[in-house]
Amino acid sequence: MEAPQYVAARVQAALAEDRRTHELGIRVDVRGDQLFLRGQVSGAEQRERLGEVAREAAPDLHVHNEINVVEVGRPGEVEHLD
Amino acid sequence: MTELRIAAVGDIHLGEDVRGQYRKSLDGIGDRADILMVAGDLTRHGTLEEGRVVADELRDLPIPVVAVLGNHDYHSDMQHEIASELRDAGVIVLNDDSAVIECDGTRLGVVGGKGFGGGFAGKCASEFGERETKNFVRHTRLIAESWQHALKEIDADRRVVLSHYSPIKETLEGEPLEIYPFLGSYLLAEAVDTAGADLILHGHAHRGTEKGMTSGGIRVRNVALPVLGAAYAVYCLADE
Ligand SMILES: [Fe+2]
Ligand SMILES: [Fe+2]
């Protein structure tokens, strides 16, 4: 059986390299037959695509898509540098 | 005393499916800032189609827009075409060069480009060994040299450096240590410290930290959108 660390690395590479996602900042953890995705993306569609690519890359694992969608509709803080 | 208000964001990673959304969050930016700086990773895959979405989102804003590209914008080898699309939309795109923008009587000099990696002093790659390693480090060194040169040449009241990669470690805090060499290089900070600047803006480290400082005391801000958790931040430089 492939060691869980290698499975996680393979899934992470797929998320980065697959044309549908190209997402580099996602954390992938494997525990037994469960795979967990964590991180932040800017849209719900990107989150779904990441789950899809992960499921294809590790078809034997149960994928838990725990990625957060961050809404960034408003401007942030103002900082005065002096 | 008036202030120069710089809105900044990086890593907006736009694509066709989110067309129009980022633009909405820029409503009213003309009341909040004098200029918008975009620190690279404008697209997801660096395709021309995505580049056009970005150009449309940044087109005809009430304030000048300066941008650099990021590694994602290079992925499809369309970086030159993407830069042209942005320039056609009125965006000033820096590629290891500079621009001086007149903001309310203040001449704001902006120097920058994508930047690159290599790591941080004491824990970095060097120009030694395989051709591939030497090329990697050399790429960063040449970039740093051109920034230093541009900063020295520029005639401006205020100077800001706009990069995609990070010049320091502090603003990477939150990222795994193992990938620091791919997130930035101290050569960038060394160059800016040597020539002097008022502020350095960068993106790329989505899980990093907003605030840091170079060894020379120049303020550094990681403006990656996931770090800010907002459409953009605003940094005010006191007018001289
Ligand atoms: Fe990015
Ligand atoms: Fe990046």
Side-chain angles (χ1 to χ4, degrees), chain B residues 115-163:
Chain B
F116 201 46
F120 299 89
K123 295 167 183 69
C124 58
S126 55
E127 283 186 62
F128 178 82
E130 297 91 328
R131 177 57 47 201
E132 287 79 2
T133 306
K134 284 188 282 215
N135 286 346
F136 181 86
V137 180
R138 186 164 179 270
H139 182 51
T140 311
R141 180 172 57 78
L142 294 178
I143 288 169
E145 283 171 10
S146 53
W147 292 7
Q148 187 175 326
H149 182 74
L151 280 168
K152 280 184 174 152
E153 291 291 295
I154 207 167
D155 183 21
D157 303 312
R158 292 303 210 156
R159 290 179 298 173
V160 173
V161 173
L162 182 61
S163 173

Side-chain angles (χ1 to χ4, degrees), chain B residues 21-232:
Chain B
Q21 281 181 24
Y22 188 69
R23 176 65 179 209
K24 264 187 244 145
S25 64
L26 296 177
D27 274 354
I29 192 168
D31 302 325
R32 296 189 183 90
D34 303 304
I35 187 166
L36 171 64
M37 302 205 187
V38 190
D41 274 4
L42 314 170
T43 65
R44 291 186 190 133
H45 329 113
T47 62
L48 191 52
E49 292 68 36
E50 289 175 341
R52 291 195 176 118
V53 172
V54 177
D56 288 340
E57 303 285 290
L58 300 178
R59 193 184 300 276
D60 296 327
L61 286 175
I63 54 174
V65 182
V66 185
V68 297
L69 300 185
N71 53 320
H72 282 247
D73 310 318
Y74 276 70
H75 182 69
S76 304
D77 288 317
M78 295 297 279
Q79 60 272 21
H80 301 298
E81 289 80 356
I82 292 172
S84 313
E85 286 289 329
L86 292 168
R87 290 192 177 107
D88 287 347
V91 176
I92 299 167
V93 183
L94 295 180
N95 186 18
D96 300 333
D97 50 5
S98 64
V100 178
I101 299 126
E102 187 88 21
C103 288
D104 241 356
T106 304
R107 284 167 309 150
L108 173 64
V110 192
V111 166
K114 174 180 65 65
F116 201 46
F120 299 89
K123 295 167 183 69
C124 58
S126 55
E127 283 186 62
F128 178 82
E130 297 91 328
R131 177 57 47 201
E132 287 79 2
T133 306
K134 284 188 282 215
N135 286 346
F136 181 86
V137 180
R138 186 164 179 270
H139 182 51
T140 311
R141 180 172 57 78
L142 294 178
I143 288 169
E145 283 171 10
S146 53
W147 292 7
Q148 187 175 326
H149 182 74
L151 280 168
K152 280 184 174 152
E153 291 291 295
I154 207 167
D155 183 21
D157 303 312
R158 292 303 210 156
R159 290 179 298 173
V160 173
V161 173
L162 182 61
S163 173
H164 181 59
Y165 286 78
S166 177
I168 61 165
K169 286 189 291 193
E170 279 175 66
T171 48
L172 302 181
E173 259 173 47
E175 295 280 358
L177 273 173
E178 294 88 338
I179 67 167
Y180 276 23
F182 301 103
L183 298 178
S185 165
Y186 81 100
L187 296 175
L188 304 173
E190 191 181 33
V192 179
D193 274 335
T194 305
D198 297 290
L199 173 67
I200 306 175
L201 301 168
H202 76 87
H204 191 47
H206 291 205
R207 287 173 286 188
T209 302
E210 184 190 0
K211 295 176 185 177
M213 198 189 292
T214 65
S215 311
I218 298 172
R219 248 75 68 88
V220 179
R221 296 293 178 264
N222 175 358
V223 295
L225 189 140
V227 170
L228 297 178
Y232 54 88

Side-chain angles (χ1 to χ4, degrees), chain A residues 12 15-28 38-47 49 69-82, chain B residues 3 12-13 17-18 21-22 24-26 32 44-45 47 71-72 75-76 198-199 204 206-207 210-211 219 221 225-227 229-238:
Chain A
Q12 200 159 36
L15 301 179
E17 291 165 13
D18 194 285
R19 282 204 54 77
R20 289 166 290 174
T21 51
H22 283 313
E23 193 70 52
L24 277 68
I26 300 299
R27 179 171 170 167
V28 181
R38 277 177 283 171
Q40 294 187 342
V41 295
S42 55
E45 292 182 37
Q46 178 72 346
R47 171 170 60 188
R49 284 191 293 261
V69 176
V70 217
E71 290 290 342
V72 288
R74 53 203 170 69
E77 265 186 272
V78 176
E79 182 188 2
H80 297 267
L81 300 164
D82 40 26
Chain B
E3 280 183 320
I12 53 179
H13 289 290
D17 59 317
V18 291
Q21 281 181 24
Y22 188 69
K24 264 187 244 145
S25 64
L26 296 177
R32 296 189 183 90
R44 291 186 190 133
H45 329 113
T47 62
N71 53 320
H72 282 247
H75 182 69
S76 304
D198 297 290
L199 173 67
H204 191 47
H206 291 205
R207 287 173 286 188
E210 184 190 0
K211 295 176 185 177
R219 248 75 68 88
R221 296 293 178 264
L225 189 140
V227 170
Y232 54 88
V234 179
Y235 303 104
C236 301
L237 295 178

